[in-house]
Amino acid sequence: MKKYCLLVIVVLFGINTIKAQLPSGSYSDYFKEGMFLLGEENYDVALRNFLEAYKKDSSSANINFNVGFCYLNSTNNKGLAEGFLAKSLKDISKNYQIDNPNEKSAPPLAVFYYGKALHINYKFDEAQIQYDNFLNTYAKDKATKDDVAYFKAQNEFAKELVAAPINVKIQNLGDSINSEFPDYSPVLSADESSLIYTTRRNTGTGGERLQDGQYYEDIVISHKDANGVWSTPKSVSQNINTAGHDASINLTADGQTLIAFRDDSGDGNVYFSTWDGKDWSPLQSFGSDINSKYWESHACLSADNNTLYFVSDRPGGYGGRDIYRCVKLPNGAWSKALNVGPTVNTKYDEDGPYIHPDGVTLIFASSGHKSMGGFDIFFTTIEEDKKFAEPVNMGYPINTTDDDVFFVTSPDGKRGYFSSATDGGKGAKDIYMMSIPDAKEKPLVLFKGAILTENGQKLPDDILIVVTNKETGEVVGNYRPKENGTFATILAPNKNYTFSYQIKGQEFYNEDIYVSSDLAYQEIKKEINLDPVNLLGSTKSKGIVLNTVVLNNAKDKQPVANAKITLTQKGGTDTNFDVDANGKKDATPLEADKLYTLVAEVNGKKSKVSSFNTVGIKGSKSITQVLYLDDSQVAVKGGDNADNTDYKPNVACGSPVKFKQNFGYNVNDIEEKKDWEVLVNAIVSKTKECNPTVKIMSSASQVPTRSFNSNKELAKSRASKMEDKIKAAVTAKGGDASKINFVKISAVRGPVYESDYKNTKKYGPFQYVRVIAR
């Protein structure tokens, strides 16, 4: 923690020339050893020596000051400082001799620290008197006056917040989680069923004590059962814990990536580990300039894993420790670190960033913003212009007069998890859950999946759940379930997703999930029951079903109640049904290897006819079709604008460069390498002079696709993949992909399918991606 009174550091800790020695038992020896340890900021062991000296002469104002000062810098006994510092005020000397064991007086700084002790103990009016006393009597230079004014402001603000506490309920997580040893830095999976945290128990990997008597840090994990009971914690992994310090920092919302801190010979660094379905991988470096020769103490990843926030005290920041940000590049590497700026960072310290799964709320600790004392927890939001809003103090009792640094919340924002040295705990630090009933729910969706076996059979190895955006074909994430078969992920609203459940690369179940645009927090729970007879783990067949969603238009995406639906099977009969008040109708049965059309009508207004098929589907599948009553679309930068060529190329970027990639039926990514190199080199050159426009025109034939629910989705996927490919290639060659204005046009073209898919000459010419760069 940053020390604010520089005078204290210069005067008190200017004694490092004293040689450390074991105390022989005299007051002088205990005092000298205590002063040497103060110079090393080893307050706990220094305190033991000062207390021994105190037993021999409790009347000395000097020994009372040093005992009080150590308590004020202790982990969980700050409240004991007040009594000793009060006694030290009986004899204040401006000619104080810091390194003289015969000195019986206390320094003038005892007045200031007595004020801090009163402040810590919520005695705000008394603390203000002592701050004013020190300011008016002893503070001479501007730096010291500024520091005292800073603490006075914290004291006044603390009094305001305590007088108007927020409505919360705090609960100790109990004996299963907490122990007589320090337990802290909790991180949770999105479904709040797995808790990973740091402990300093005597059962740690190293098993050795430090000079201060504490054991090394280890990372442990506990799971919550269906009755809400936490299991006994165990080592998170032998791949992670070492004989040294290993501490938990953050866990991604999907529970698949753990971020940890490791003290590398005095150089603190952050690392990550990934879950492979059986164990956590050894810690890996993020790369780029994230870790440095300076101190990197904390980090977190956004829910989409594309933005990393971390803390560093490297030069060039706004104060001591600052928060920095990196973004993932198209080639998978991390960008150079960028300071998030003065709205968040101050001339003091910031720490403990946590980006909420909503992607826009950043929670962090700061000792520089308006706080109650020390570090307080704040939150800010990322606004539409990508700038941070002014940070807001989260209030009392989330914040206290002591340091409050690490705080994570549930996805709905209704619960917070933190560690504290609060009186009445099990040990030096305990982990608590705070319920915040008045908190506004976050508008996001938590998908909680479970793969269940029958008769208690072991879950098959190598289970993988692949989630893709159904409209673009983009992979949202790959998930490995926990030992109990559960997994969780955060899904953005207004989107349609496909979940593919696979074992050893073979799909055994597939379902579509549509996430509505509700403004409140939602949870979707799905259970997949494995057939114990089939070693591949196939599910008991639920057949092929259709889930229908009717929305007003592609922009607003508001549900349309009671629309009438006509489902037509080619060569078969029509099926008619109505959607409900939420614009939905689930589980309409379908037949395999059939072509279908779907249309919605309400009050005489019809949607565009949607075509899809069940060709090649084996076993169970849930298909979701979204119908818009107003099917008009607007051309936007980077949008998927079907058959809309109304865009304005940047003529200042020179002559156009063209490229075409053809797709034969069931043939992937055939491209002319020479033309591709010409295209990429041209775009790289353009980005150095202007902002080029790259138009991508993608087409799919009318041959039914097995990988997508419609050929239009296949065409859109081709365009999106080409965009990603161009970005990665341009970045790899030193171009600035962020300057490219992409315009994507996707369509289904060619003759009507007549069950002759082998006729590649007939359908092949209509399967392509064309690119024009200007």
Side-chain angles (χ1 to χ4, degrees):
M1 174 180 153
K2 182 179 176 67
K3 303 296 184 296
Y4 297 99
C5 279
L6 301 181
L7 180 62
V8 180
I9 297 175
V10 173
V11 176
L12 276 182
F13 300 152
I15 56 169
N16 280 326
T17 55
I18 301 176
K19 184 178 179 180
Q21 58 182 332
L22 293 175
S24 63
S26 70
Y27 175 94
S28 178
D29 288 332
Y30 282 125
F31 181 88
K32 289 179 179 179
E33 180 68 7
M35 294 303 292
F36 174 80
L37 291 163
L38 273 188
E40 296 183 336
E41 298 186 39
N42 192 340
Y43 302 110
D44 291 334
V45 183
L47 176 62
R48 297 177 194 172
N49 285 275
F50 287 137
L51 286 174
E52 290 298 324
Y54 179 83
K55 292 177 182 178
K56 298 181 180 297
D57 183 6
S58 61
S59 64
S60 166
N62 191 18
I63 197 64
N64 275 281
F65 167 73
N66 282 290
V67 170
F69 180 77
C70 286
Y71 272 130
L72 202 58
N73 286 279
S74 66
T75 302
N76 62 325
N77 288 312
K78 290 182 173 63
L80 298 178
E82 180 187 336
F84 291 96
L85 290 169
K87 293 178 184 178
S88 74
L89 297 189
K90 68 181 182 181
D91 185 7
I92 300 292
S93 174
K94 294 184 178 180
N95 298 316
Y96 176 75
Q97 299 179 46
I98 185 172
D99 58 350
N100 186 353
N102 297 318
E103 175 66 75
K104 300 302 180 183
S105 301
L109 285 164
V111 178
F112 168 76
Y113 281 114
Y114 180 47
K116 279 199 68 177
L118 293 166
H119 181 171
I120 287 283
N121 287 340
Y122 295 85
K123 298 178 180 180
F124 305 121
D125 292 337
E126 296 173 57
Q128 200 74 354
I129 292 172
Q130 297 304 322
Y131 285 146
D132 286 337
N133 184 13
F134 180 78
L135 188 62
N136 297 329
T137 307
Y138 301 108
K140 303 301 181 183
D141 62 278
K142 183 179 185 302
T144 302
K145 290 180 179 179
D146 288 345
D147 282 339
V148 178
Y150 170 79
F151 281 99
K152 281 185 60 179
Q154 286 188 333
N155 185 66
E156 293 170 357
F157 187 58
K159 183 178 180 180
E160 292 178 20
L161 292 189
V162 171
I166 63 173
N167 180 23
V168 299
K169 179 182 179 181
I170 299 175
Q171 173 188 348
N172 188 297
L173 287 188
D175 294 336
S176 296
I177 298 296
N178 296 310
S179 68
E180 61 183 293
F181 301 96
D183 300 293
Y184 49 96
S185 194
V187 297
L188 287 99
S189 57
D191 60 1
E192 300 176 77
S193 66
S194 293
L195 177 71
I196 297 176
Y197 60 102
T198 305
T199 187
R200 303 190 78 162
R201 306 183 188 202
N202 57 359
T203 55
T205 303
E208 296 183 3
R209 288 180 184 266
L210 297 169
Q211 185 182 9
D212 61 5
Q214 295 197 68
Y215 292 95
Y216 282 96
E217 296 173 313
D218 256 18
I219 304 175
V220 295
I221 185 170
S222 177
H223 300 287
K224 185 167 61 176
D225 64 20
N227 298 317
V229 178
W230 290 101
S231 65
T232 301
K234 62 180 182 179
S235 172
V236 69
S237 174
Q238 292 182 348
N239 291 332
I240 293 178
N241 286 320
T242 65
H245 284 300
D246 303 286
S248 52
I249 294 179
N250 259 304
L251 184 69
T252 52
D254 56 21
Q256 305 289 298
T257 303
L258 173 66
I259 305 178
F261 168 85
R262 182 170 285 172
D263 186 356
D264 298 322
S265 301
D267 176 17
N269 288 311
V270 293
Y271 299 92
F272 74 94
S273 170
T274 55
W275 174 250
D276 65 6
K278 298 178 182 178
D279 199 358
W280 292 96
S281 70
L283 293 182
Q284 306 168 61
S285 173
F286 283 100
S288 183
D289 61 344
I290 294 166
N291 286 330
S292 69
K293 64 180 181 179
Y294 300 96
W295 191 262
E296 282 73 45
S297 60
H298 204 82
C300 67
L301 274 168
S302 58
D304 61 7
N305 292 334
N306 288 329
T307 306
L308 177 75
Y309 296 88
F310 71 96
V311 175
S312 178
D313 65 354
R314 64 190 61 186
Y318 292 90
R321 282 173 292 190
D322 275 11
I323 297 175
Y324 291 79
R325 175 172 56 193
C326 292
V327 296
K328 186 170 287 186
L329 301 173
N331 61 2
W334 290 101
S335 69
K336 291 293 185 180
L338 179 68
N339 192 297
V340 300
T343 303
V344 172
N345 293 315
T346 67
K347 68 176 182 178
Y348 297 100
D349 285 336
E350 277 66 45
D351 208 340
Y354 167 75
I355 186 73
H356 190 274
D358 66 5
V360 297
T361 304
L362 179 69
I363 298 173
F364 67 100
S366 175
S367 58
H369 291 284
K370 196 173 182 181
S371 77
M372 293 180 61
F375 281 100
D376 270 13
I377 306 295
F378 295 82
F379 75 89
T380 180
T381 55
I382 304 172
E383 300 183 331
E384 291 184 0
D385 58 1
K386 304 301 181 182
K387 294 181 180 179
F388 288 97
E390 192 66 28
V392 176
N393 190 298
M394 294 190 71
Y396 172 82
I398 292 179
N399 289 315
T400 68
T401 54
D402 202 352
D403 284 332
D404 305 286
V405 183
F406 306 115
F407 187 87
V408 297
T409 71
S410 58
D412 62 2
K414 290 289 189 179
R415 290 165 301 284
Y417 294 82
F418 64 101
S419 55
S420 176
T422 304
D423 292 340
K426 309 289 181 182
K429 278 188 178 181
D430 280 7
I431 296 174
Y432 295 83
M433 181 184 75
M434 176 181 292
S435 299
I436 316 171
D438 297 335
K440 184 179 179 181
E441 286 189 339
K442 299 291 186 180
L444 52 79
V445 176
L446 171 63
F447 182 94
K448 300 165 71 171
I451 301 176
L452 308 178
T453 60
E454 293 189 2
N455 303 321
Q457 288 193 352
K458 182 182 177 182
L459 199 69
D461 294 335
D462 301 322
I463 290 185
L464 180 67
I465 302 98
V466 181
V467 181
T468 58
N469 183 314
K470 186 180 174 184
E471 296 176 356
T472 66
E474 177 187 3
V475 175
V476 176
N478 297 308
Y479 307 97
R480 302 277 186 182
K482 301 174 207 168
E483 296 173 1
N484 61 0
T486 63
F487 70 98
T489 183
I490 299 295
L491 300 175
N494 288 333
K495 295 185 184 299
N496 206 355
Y497 300 90
T498 296
F499 282 65
S500 173
Y501 299 83
Q502 304 172 6
I503 296 178
K504 300 183 187 301
Q506 297 187 45
E507 181 177 274
F508 64 86
Y509 186 64
N510 184 298
E511 65 178 336
D512 291 346
I513 301 294
Y514 175 75
V515 178
S516 65
S517 57
D518 293 351
L519 296 178
Y521 172 80
Q522 305 173 60
E523 284 190 7
I524 297 175
K525 299 180 181 180
K526 292 285 184 178
E527 293 183 349
I528 306 299
N529 296 292
L530 293 180
D531 184 349
V533 177
N534 192 326
L535 294 180
L536 282 177
S538 62
T539 59
K540 294 178 179 179
S541 179
K542 300 178 181 178
I544 307 172
V545 297
L546 170 68
N547 304 317
T548 306
V549 180
V550 181
L551 305 176
N552 62 341
N553 57 59
K555 180 180 179 180
D556 298 332
K557 296 187 176 180
Q558 297 300 309
V560 177
N562 307 317
K564 296 186 179 300
I565 307 298
T566 301
L567 173 67
T568 302
Q569 180 191 115
K570 185 175 181 180
T573 58
D574 291 349
T575 301
N576 298 297
F577 54 87
D578 294 348
V579 296
D580 61 18
N582 295 314
K584 295 181 179 180
K585 175 65 168 67
D586 290 341
T588 304
L590 301 173
E591 295 181 26
D593 297 312
K594 300 294 182 181
L595 305 179
Y596 288 94
T597 60
L598 192 70
V599 65
E601 181 178 3
V602 62
N603 298 328
K605 192 173 186 179
K606 288 187 177 182
S607 70
K608 185 177 180 180
V609 176
S610 174
S611 300
F612 66 98
N613 67 85
T614 58
V615 176
I617 296 176
K618 306 296 181 183
S620 301
K621 180 172 176 62
S622 164
I623 298 174
T624 296
Q625 288 287 297
V626 181
L627 302 174
Y628 299 108
L629 284 181
D630 179 4
D631 200 48
S632 61
Q633 299 187 31
V634 180
V636 294
K637 179 181 178 179
D640 296 314
N641 307 310
D643 299 318
N644 190 328
T645 57
D646 183 21
Y647 78 102
K648 296 180 180 179
N650 190 336
V651 295
C653 282
S655 302
V657 179
K658 301 179 181 181
F659 169 78
K660 182 177 180 181
Q661 177 174 318
N662 297 304
F663 299 87
Y665 186 61
N666 278 344
V667 177
N668 296 320
D669 292 351
I670 300 174
E671 63 184 36
E672 296 292 337
K673 293 184 178 179
K674 182 179 178 181
D675 291 346
W676 171 253
E677 288 296 320
V678 171
L679 174 74
V680 173
N681 290 335
I683 297 175
V684 170
S685 178
K686 291 174 184 292
T687 61
K688 294 177 181 179
E689 302 174 359
C690 58
N691 295 337
T693 294
V694 174
K695 180 180 178 182
I696 301 175
M697 297 159 286
S698 61
S699 173
S701 71
Q702 299 204 44
V703 176
T705 172
R706 298 187 182 188
S707 301
F708 298 84
N709 287 321
S710 73
N711 295 64
K712 181 62 176 295
E713 291 177 13
L714 171 59
K716 287 184 177 181
S717 174
R718 287 173 174 168
S720 294
K721 288 180 179 179
M722 178 57 70
E723 178 183 355
D724 292 340
K725 200 170 185 177
I726 291 172
K727 287 179 179 178
V730 168
T731 301
K733 286 182 174 288
D736 186 355
S738 67
K739 297 176 70 174
I740 304 172
N741 173 30
F742 284 98
V743 176
K744 292 180 288 183
I745 301 170
S746 304
V748 179
R749 295 184 171 90
V752 176
Y753 178 59
E754 296 179 348
S755 299
D756 53 345
Y757 65 87
K758 293 184 179 180
N759 190 345
T760 56
K761 291 184 178 180
K762 180 178 179 181
Y763 301 111
F766 302 97
Q767 300 181 153
Y768 60 81
V769 174
R770 289 175 179 159
V771 180
I772 301 176
R774 295 180 184 269

